[in-house]
């Protein structure tokens, strides 16, 4: 780009910004990204700080008082079923450069790997946090706790994000749940930043390929609903995180160079047992960072994954996150492990989001063709 072209582009952007009508009110500035295929919007401006001394407190306050923000950014017309959003806020923790609250379609997760990758990439590539090449070390605060990150950087681009996750642990191995229409299903339950129910895809004849998406979602949502009723779980140190809220199907890798393949389904609405057509969710397009952490915890509990071993986890698109267990620890009475996850995110857009005061859908909407 020439200097004159750069000045022209900057002038055009300024003109567009100035032309936005004042009646549209406060603009929410957000960076849109994807991490290994999974979308992750990052709000970097236009939302004031909220009460709370920790990101868990701020998450709880938002859930109780400003859930309209989550709905507005994730539902149509600004969002879609697979969308995720993160709100960057100041952290009171002296070790953290910033904090972030993660928002998904039906919950506020304590932690998310893809969203962490998107937040780090957005903050560094937009200059909101200083980037140092070849690597930038930064600590962020998620609602689940402090997340220590190393971002590989080259020519202004974050080429890889490696984060030390919160401890992961298995609560149930080879438990049997009764699932309407499916019968008895053997599952594991593990925490990797969220509580996952994990089942083998092979017992349902699934290879975890993109053309199986509808069956993957239907089966996973049915298993998750049954497991959440039959296998209650509570985080022993953070009782605000309770219940199985997400499901994962696991199977052999398609690429022999990888360890396993998984597909995580994120719920998009409440499940109605009486209407099978409403068993809907959205597939995580990535290998899923917290899902990978939970899966590694179950493998370690079975003696199938050691400390320091690389675990290459495929997602439904064939993209890969590399996991590694750093050390053993305990969480309450549970034997636990500390996972490390490596992946990458890419910026796809930067936008200002507004609400016209005459808009009949200020907080968005859902329609039953693609939403529960």
């Amino acid at each position: 780009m020439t200097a004159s072209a750069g000045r022209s582009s900057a002038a055009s952007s300024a003109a567009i910004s100035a032309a936005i009508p004042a009646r549209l009110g406060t603009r929410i500035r957000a960076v849109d990204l994807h991490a290994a295929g999974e979308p992750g919007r990052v709000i970097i401006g236009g939302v004031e700080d909220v009460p709370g001394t920790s990101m868990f407190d701020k998450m709880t306050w938002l859930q109780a008082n400003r859930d309209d923000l989550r709905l507005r950014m994730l539902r149509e017309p600004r969002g879609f079923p697979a969308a995720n959003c993160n709100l960057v806020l100041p952290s009171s923790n002296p070790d953290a450069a910033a904090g972030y609250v993660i928002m998904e379609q039906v919950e506020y997760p304590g932690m998310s790997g893809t969203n962490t990758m998107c937040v780090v990439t957005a903050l560094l590539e937009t200059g909101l946090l200083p980037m140092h090449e070849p690597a930038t070390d930064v600590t962020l605060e998620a609602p689940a706790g402090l997340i220590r990150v190393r971002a590989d950087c080259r020519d202004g681009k974050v080429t890889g994000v490696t984060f030390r996750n919160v401890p992961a642990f298995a609560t149930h191995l080879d438990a049997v749940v009764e699932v309407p229409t499916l019968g008895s299903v053997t599952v594991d339950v593990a925490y990797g930043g969220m509580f996952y129910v994990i089942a083998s895809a092979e017992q349902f004849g699934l290879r975890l390929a993109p053309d199986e998406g509808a069956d993957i979602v239907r089966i996973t949502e049915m298993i998750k609903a049954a497991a959440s009723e039959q296998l209650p779980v509570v985080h022993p140190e953070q009782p605000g995180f309770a219940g199985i809220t997400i499901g994962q199907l696991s199977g052999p890798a398609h690429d022999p160079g990888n360890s396993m393949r998984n597909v995580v389904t994120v719920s998009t609405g409440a499940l109605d047992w009486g209407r099978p057509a409403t068993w809907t969710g959205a597939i995580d397009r990535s290998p899923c960072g917290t899902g990978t952490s939970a899966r590694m915890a179950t493998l370690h509990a079975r003696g199938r994954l050691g400390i320091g071993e690389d675990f290459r986890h495929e997602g439904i698109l064939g993209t890969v996150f590399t996991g590694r267990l750093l050390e053993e620890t305990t969480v309450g009475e549970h034997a636990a492990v500390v996972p490390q996850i490596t992946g990458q995110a890419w910026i796809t857009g930067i936008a200002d989001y507004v609400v016209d005061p005459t808009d009949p859908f200020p907080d968005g909407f859902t329609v039953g063709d693609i939403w529960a």
Side-chain angles (χ1 to χ4, degrees):
M1 180 186 298
T2 65
S4 60
R7 287 193 295 271
S8 175
S9 176
S12 299
S13 297
I16 292 171
S17 180
I20 296 176
R23 68 182 180 81
L24 295 179
T26 302
R27 288 170 281 171
I28 295 176
R29 172 62 58 90
V31 181
D32 286 344
L33 309 93
H34 77 87
E38 178 71 354
R41 180 170 290 161
V42 180
I43 298 173
I44 59 173
V47 179
E48 295 183 356
D49 195 12
V50 303
T53 57
S54 70
M55 297 312 295
F56 180 86
D57 293 341
K58 294 184 180 188
M59 176 196 76
T60 303
W61 189 92
L62 285 163
Q63 190 170 17
N65 299 280
R66 281 298 315 274
D67 197 46
D68 60 298
L69 177 65
R70 179 183 66 88
L71 299 177
R72 183 178 305 163
M73 300 303 285
L74 294 182
R75 290 180 169 185
E76 295 180 67
R78 299 170 188 84
F80 64 106
N84 304 281
C85 191
N86 304 271
L87 175 60
V88 175
L89 294 171
S91 172
S92 300
N93 192 306
D95 292 332
Y100 59 110
V101 173
I102 306 155
M103 297 178 281
E104 295 186 353
Q105 295 293 354
V106 298
E107 66 176 321
Y108 291 75
M111 176 54 186
S112 167
T114 56
N115 283 295
T116 298
M117 295 173 193
C118 289
V119 168
V120 170
T121 300
L123 292 176
L124 293 180
E125 292 193 13
T126 62
L128 290 174
L129 289 180
M131 176 186 290
H132 305 287
E133 300 184 13
T136 303
D137 292 321
V138 62
T139 298
L140 301 177
E141 184 188 1
L146 290 179
I147 308 298
R148 303 192 186 278
V149 181
R150 168 157 289 197
D152 296 322
C153 305
R154 184 174 65 251
D155 299 329
K157 167 68 188 145
V158 176
T159 60
V161 175
T162 298
F163 66 88
R164 180 186 176 101
N165 198 6
V166 295
F169 53 92
T171 61
H172 300 79
L173 297 176
D174 296 322
V176 177
V177 294
E178 299 302 324
V179 185
T181 77
L182 295 180
S184 300
V185 179
T186 300
V187 302
D188 297 337
V189 178
Y191 180 84
M194 307 165 70
F195 277 109
Y196 282 82
V197 59
I198 305 170
S200 166
E202 294 173 288
Q203 63 186 307
F204 306 109
L206 296 173
R207 296 182 60 252
L208 301 180
D211 62 358
E212 299 171 336
D215 288 333
I216 292 169
V217 167
R218 176 178 58 85
I219 290 170
T220 306
E221 284 293 283
M222 292 167 68
I223 293 171
K224 188 207 75 175
S228 66
E229 293 175 355
Q230 298 169 38
L231 302 174
V233 288
V234 179
H235 195 290
E237 296 177 355
Q238 293 176 305
F241 298 131
I244 297 167
T245 61
I246 194 163
Q248 175 181 164
L249 294 182
S250 180
H254 291 199
D255 183 337
N258 297 327
S259 306
M260 298 187 76
R261 173 171 282 227
N262 87 116
V263 177
V264 164
T265 297
V266 181
S267 298
T268 57
L271 182 138
D272 180 352
W273 286 116
R275 301 176 59 203
T278 66
W279 286 328
T280 61
I283 285 175
D284 187 325
R285 275 72 172 139
S286 79
C288 187
T290 54
T292 297
S293 298
R295 190 68 177 107
M296 290 195 297
T298 65
L299 292 171
H300 183 75
R302 288 190 168 92
R304 293 173 52 190
L305 182 67
I307 301 298
E309 292 183 31
D310 280 349
F311 178 72
R312 291 178 54 83
H313 214 192
E314 291 176 353
I316 196 166
L317 300 178
T319 53
V320 175
F321 286 164
T322 300
R324 178 181 293 181
L325 299 179
L326 301 179
E327 60 186 17
E328 295 177 331
T329 184
T330 57
V331 177
E333 297 180 352
H334 297 288
V337 286
V338 177
Q340 173 183 281
I341 305 291
T342 300
Q344 187 175 0
W346 293 262
I347 291 177
T348 60
I350 300 174
D352 287 340
Y353 291 90
V354 299
V355 176
D356 190 305
T358 65
D359 189 336
F361 307 110
D363 297 334
F365 56 85
T366 64
V367 179
D369 57 344
I370 60 173
W371 301 83

